[in-house]
Structures are given as structure tokens and as C-alpha cells.
């Protein structure tokens, strides 16, 4: 009976002490690194070209939408100027034409700039290969150096207050991608 009490006491105090001494050893074995994705993307020419293409396409599509909105606005102003001279049937037809033009502009805007619109699809087709290439470079470097975690220091969501430049592998990622860095 005395042996059971001693064993319980030992397990109660020694086991937690043993676990707490092992935890720091396993935690210190994990390696981590930081990257600055904004810095990397600034130094990848393909990303700049993709953004330029997206801006050009966006401006072109925005001009098309604005042209339809301007046309609807002109139709409405003309309607207001002529409303006293129009019959009920003519008023109704003009109102329907104005609403149809506004709907056409709204539909075109949704088609181009909506959540699953053409701009989203274009951005995905241009940017995803670049992101995949960066991801693969980061993964290769992490595998070679044994990093368990790589954090993007430029992301606002990470909450990094300080990151030592010694653990920043951004330049190494650029080098792996075949780009020079500034």
C-alpha cells in the first residue's frame, strides 16, 4: 500500500515536471522563417506585367460601362425635357428604354467586375501561375533548410511586430526564382 502512494506521488509530481522539461526541447527544434511577399512581387517582372495587363483591361471595360451609363443618363435628360409633350404611351416606352439601358449597364458591370466576373477570371489566370511559382520556391527552400513555418511579414493578418532580418528568406526566394533583388 505504501508503494502505491509513493508511485502516485511520483507520477503526480515527476511526470508533469518531466513533460514540461521536454516541451521546450521539442519547441526549440522547430525552425521558422519570414518572407516579405510585397517585396518579392515587386521584384518579379511577370507580376508587374500581369498587373499592367489587368489595369488596361479594367480601364477598357470600365469605359464600356461608363458609356452605357452616360447613354442612359442622356436618355433620361432628354426624357425630362420632352416629358410634357409626350403621350402616356410614349412616356412609358421612353421609361422602359431608359430602364433597359440602365439594366444593360448594370449587367455589363456585373459581367466584368462581379465576384465571378471576367476581371476575376483574368486575374486568376495571370496571377495564379506566379503565386504557384513563388510557393514552390518557398517550399523548396523550407524543405532544404528544415523550416516548419514560413510567415509573410507583409501580411496584416499575421500580427508580426518584429521579425529579424536573419530569418527573412525573401532574397533567397527571388534567387530561386531566377530574379535579382534590390
Amino acid at each position: 500500500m505504501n508503494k502505491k502512494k509513493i508511485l502516485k506521488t511520483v507520477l503526480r509530481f515527476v511526470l508533469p515536471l518531466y513533460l514540461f522539461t521536454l516541451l521546450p526541447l521539442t519547441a526549440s527544434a522547430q525552425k521558422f522563417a519570414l518572407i516579405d511577399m510585397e517585396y518579392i512581387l515587386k521584384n518579379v517582372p511577370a507580376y508587374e506585367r500581369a498587373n499592367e495587363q489587368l489595369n488596361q483591361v479594367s480601364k477598357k471595360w470600365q469605359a464600356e460601362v461608363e458609356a452605357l451609363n452616360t447613354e442612359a443618363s442622356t436618355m433620361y435628360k432628354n426624357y425630362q425635357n420632352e416629358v410634357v409633350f409626350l403621350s402616356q404611351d410614349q412616356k412609358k416606352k421612353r421609361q422602359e428604354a431608359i430602364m433597359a439601358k440602365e439594366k444593360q449597364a448594370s449587367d455589363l458591370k456585373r459581367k466584368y467586375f462581379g465576384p465571378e466576373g471576367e476581371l476575376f477570371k483574368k486575374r486568376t489566370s495571370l496571377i495564379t501561375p506566379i503565386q504557384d511559382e513563388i510557393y514552390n520556391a518557398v517550399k523548396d527552400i523550407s524543405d532544404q533548410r528544415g523550416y516548419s513555418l514560413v510567415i509573410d511579414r507583409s501580411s496584416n493578418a499575421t500580427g508580426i511586430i518584429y521579425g529579424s532580418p536573419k530569418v527573412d528568406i525573401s532574397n533567397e526566394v527571388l534567387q530561386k526564382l531566377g530574379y535579382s533583388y534590390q
Side-chain angles (χ1 to χ4, degrees), residues 54 112 115-126:
L54 289 171
Y112 287 150
E116 296 293 322
E118 296 298 317
L119 188 63
F120 174 81
K121 291 174 186 171
K122 184 91 169 155
R123 177 176 282 119
T124 301
S125 71
L126 291 173

Side-chain angles (χ1 to χ4, degrees), residues 8 11 13 48 58 62 84 89 93 96-98 116 119-121 124 133 138 143 153 156 177 180:
K8 281 184 181 179
L11 287 177
F13 294 108
E48 293 298 322
S58 177
Q62 185 63 35
V84 292
D89 192 40
K93 285 181 182 178
E96 288 172 354
I98 293 168
E116 296 293 322
L119 188 63
F120 174 81
K121 291 174 186 171
T124 301
E133 188 178 7
V138 169
D143 290 344
R153 75 165 57 216
N156 292 334
L177 292 170
S180 61

Side-chain angles (χ1 to χ4, degrees), residues 48-149:
E48 293 298 322
R49 286 191 301 273
N51 271 337
E52 185 59 36
Q53 277 184 303
L54 289 171
N55 286 337
Q56 289 173 356
V57 168
S58 177
K59 286 177 185 176
K60 176 185 163 211
W61 290 340
Q62 185 63 35
E64 288 179 36
V65 171
E66 286 175 8
L68 287 175
N69 281 328
T70 301
E71 195 174 332
S73 179
T74 302
M75 289 171 68
Y76 181 72
K77 287 176 186 175
N78 290 341
Y79 168 77
Q80 283 183 319
N81 290 336
E82 300 168 358
V83 72
V84 292
F85 305 112
L86 300 173
S87 68
Q88 283 300 102
D89 192 40
Q90 289 173 324
K91 287 180 187 177
K92 186 177 178 181
K93 285 181 182 178
R94 290 268 186 102
Q95 290 171 351
E96 288 172 354
I98 293 168
M99 289 188 328
K101 189 59 72 175
E102 288 172 342
K103 183 177 179 342
Q104 186 182 2
S106 175
D107 289 346
L108 189 62
K109 184 175 183 178
R110 190 175 315 103
K111 175 187 172 195
Y112 287 150
F113 302 107
E116 296 293 322
E118 296 298 317
L119 188 63
F120 174 81
K121 291 174 186 171
K122 184 91 169 155
R123 177 176 282 119
T124 301
S125 71
L126 291 173
I127 302 297
T128 300
I130 297 167
Q131 290 173 329
D132 290 345
E133 188 178 7
I134 292 170
Y135 171 80
N136 289 331
V138 169
K139 185 178 179 324
D140 289 347
I141 292 168
S142 296
D143 290 344
Q144 288 171 359
R145 293 201 169 183
Y147 295 132
S148 303
L149 179 67

